[in-house]
Amino acid sequence: GNLAEAFSGLEKLPGTKILAISNIYETEPFDVLSEQEDYLNCCVLIDTELAPLELLHRCLELESRLGRVRKEYHGARTMDIDLLVYEGAGSDTEELRLPHPWILERAFVMVPMSDIFPSHNALGLDFDGAYQEVDKSGVKLYK
């Protein structure tokens, strides 16, 4: 339900349209300090008129509306929306790093990205080598 609400919220952003949604994958929590249920992960490709930082702020607002409360680093959450890549833009500030700095280390990101970008080139980010090497065994197609 939360994912459906997130998709709907993204589609309602000004000048924004969803172009593709990956399969949904189930994974164990990653780099967490407390017990948590498994995560559901997917990637969404959008076309937007929003600038990267404005898009980030709108996504953080959407997370909040979906019940996200930030209490601890990588703590349990109802929703986590990350900007992974943005065509034609890069950023290296504390608030926004594009492309996302850990894409090439995380199977739970690369597997759903490969659904949308089967060539393993996401808007200029070539992740083929990392995709071939990363352990994907913990990334399971959700029901």
Side-chain angles (χ1 to χ4, degrees), residues 77-95:
R77 52 205 177 262
T78 56
M79 183 57 55
D80 183 22
I81 302 172
D82 291 320
L83 299 185
L84 300 174
V85 293
Y86 190 108
E87 189 171 29
S91 179
D92 192 15
T93 67
E94 190 169 322
E95 188 173 14

Side-chain angles (χ1 to χ4, degrees), residues 109-125:
V109 174
M110 288 188 284
V111 169
M113 274 182 54
S114 71
D115 289 348
I116 296 173
F117 300 102
S119 68
H120 300 154
N121 189 309
L123 306 176
L125 175 71

Side-chain angles (χ1 to χ4, degrees), residues 9-129:
L10 289 171
E11 187 89 336
K12 291 176 183 172
L13 294 177
T16 301
K17 179 180 180 182
I18 292 177
L19 302 177
I21 301 174
S22 74
N23 288 308
I24 298 171
Y25 296 90
E26 187 170 10
T27 59
E28 292 182 4
F30 175 79
D31 193 23
V32 297
L33 303 175
S34 58
E35 282 291 315
Q36 298 180 34
E37 294 182 28
D38 285 353
Y39 292 158
L40 298 180
N41 297 285
C42 68
C43 286
V44 178
L45 177 64
I46 64 170
D47 181 32
T48 186
E49 296 173 4
L50 298 174
L53 199 53
E54 177 66 15
L55 179 59
L56 173 66
H57 292 159
R58 297 291 186 115
C59 287
L60 294 174
E61 291 169 6
L62 179 55
E63 285 181 354
S64 182
R65 285 196 311 272
L66 292 171
R68 170 107 190 233
V69 177
R70 295 173 188 269
K71 291 182 182 178
E72 65 180 275
Y73 177 74
H74 285 179
R77 52 205 177 262
T78 56
M79 183 57 55
D80 183 22
I81 302 172
D82 291 320
L83 299 185
L84 300 174
V85 293
Y86 190 108
E87 189 171 29
S91 179
D92 192 15
T93 67
E94 190 169 322
E95 188 173 14
L96 178 61
R97 293 176 66 194
L98 286 173
H100 193 288
W102 299 298
I103 291 172
L104 303 180
E105 299 170 15
R106 297 180 174 167
F108 65 86
V109 174
M110 288 188 284
V111 169
M113 274 182 54
S114 71
D115 289 348
I116 296 173
F117 300 102
S119 68
H120 300 154
N121 189 309
L123 306 176
L125 175 71
D126 182 355
F127 65 99
D128 188 55

